[in-house]
Amino acid sequence: MKFPVIAPLTRAGLVLALTTLCTLSAAADDLAKVTANAATIFSKFQESDKPIPAQVIGKAKAMVIMDTTEGGVIFTGKSGAGVMVHRVGEGWSGPIGIGTSGASFGLSIGGQDIRTVFLLMDNKAVDYFVNNDDVEFKGEFSGAAGPSEAAVRDNFVPDHSVYSYIVNDGVFGGMGVQGGVISYEKEETFKYYSQPVTIKDVLTGKIKPPESAQVLLRLLDKYPPAP
């Protein structure tokens, strides 16, 4: 019996295959690192002397955590990196990757060493983010300075669609944002989940979050939805 001859993989073909695998793995690792960094940013904020009030987080429909420091530059051609998660029942969805384009985001809020937590307070704000690959903070979707613990009561009712809390050169607190632009990182999100996924499938919880997202999600689970 003659067996079919299988042509050996050429050197060029082997290099191409290994390069492709390494690129896919690196992209997945990149978003895993961004997610881990988002967990660190959120944790440090909540451990500071000006944490984001639990009542405000409880009312939020979604959260965006951004890093525009030098260490946050991961995605090619972007000046910063971050994630967006959406509230699903009593918990949160897996993350999607987002990046900041150019320097406008940092400059618009007065510096380059900036980490930001955006809270999307209504479905209109969530839809705006989900349905636009590039989101600019302007008009009713400008990031209003988030209220402090002293300013929030138990019957807190949001009066803005988006609140922003910022660590600016080591100073924690609410700060308004105008003119910053963030974009959805589709390819990195695909590679992170090892399949083509839609924003809707991820943010509605249809797609199971990777294990690397669990540190962030466990932190957020400490803040259940408020009535």
Side-chain angles (χ1 to χ4, degrees):
M1 176 183 294
K2 291 185 177 181
F3 294 94
V5 176
I6 300 176
L9 187 64
T10 65
R11 181 181 178 86
L14 179 60
V15 171
L16 177 61
L18 290 174
T19 300
T20 301
L21 287 173
C22 289
T23 300
L24 290 172
S25 176
D29 287 346
D30 281 351
L31 192 47
K33 291 175 183 176
V34 172
T35 303
N37 189 44
T40 300
I41 292 171
F42 182 78
S43 179
K44 287 184 177 179
F45 218 118
Q46 296 311 89
E47 293 169 359
S48 74
D49 60 350
K50 294 183 179 180
I52 303 171
Q55 300 96 314
V56 180
I57 300 175
K59 291 284 188 177
K61 303 293 185 182
M63 183 182 296
V64 173
I65 304 175
M66 292 295 309
D67 185 350
T68 55
T69 66
E70 183 177 354
V73 180
I74 291 181
F75 300 142
T76 303
K78 307 295 182 183
S79 60
V83 298
M84 176 179 177
V85 293
H86 182 253
R87 195 180 289 282
V88 178
E90 295 294 315
W92 297 81
S93 72
I96 61 170
I98 55 177
T100 59
S101 301
S104 63
F105 186 87
L107 294 175
S108 69
I109 47 181
Q112 294 297 314
D113 185 15
I114 296 168
R115 300 171 182 88
T116 315
V117 178
F118 294 103
L119 297 178
L120 281 54
M121 307 307 297
D122 54 39
N123 290 325
K124 182 169 59 175
V126 173
D127 290 343
Y128 178 63
F129 273 70
V130 169
N131 294 320
N132 293 277
D133 285 345
D134 294 299
V135 174
E136 183 175 0
F137 291 89
K138 62 181 181 179
E140 65 179 312
F141 295 110
S142 295
S148 65
E149 281 192 312
V152 174
R153 300 181 182 277
D154 291 338
N155 59 350
F156 168 73
V157 177
D159 56 1
H160 287 85
S161 290
V162 181
Y163 285 125
S164 59
Y165 292 87
I166 293 175
V167 187
N168 189 3
D169 295 325
V171 179
F172 292 77
M175 186 182 297
V177 176
Q178 292 269 351
V181 179
I182 64 174
S183 57
Y184 169 48
E185 296 297 323
K186 180 170 68 174
E187 294 302 322
E188 283 72 15
T189 302
F190 284 5
K191 291 164 187 173
Y192 185 57
Y193 288 93
S194 302
Q195 60 179 309
V197 294
T198 66
I199 294 178
K200 183 178 180 180
D201 283 348
V202 174
L203 295 185
T204 57
K206 185 177 179 179
I207 304 297
K208 183 179 179 180
E211 183 61 31
S212 60
Q214 294 307 314
V215 173
L216 173 62
L217 300 183
R218 282 194 290 269
L219 285 172
L220 299 182
D221 282 343
K222 297 177 181 179
Y223 302 87

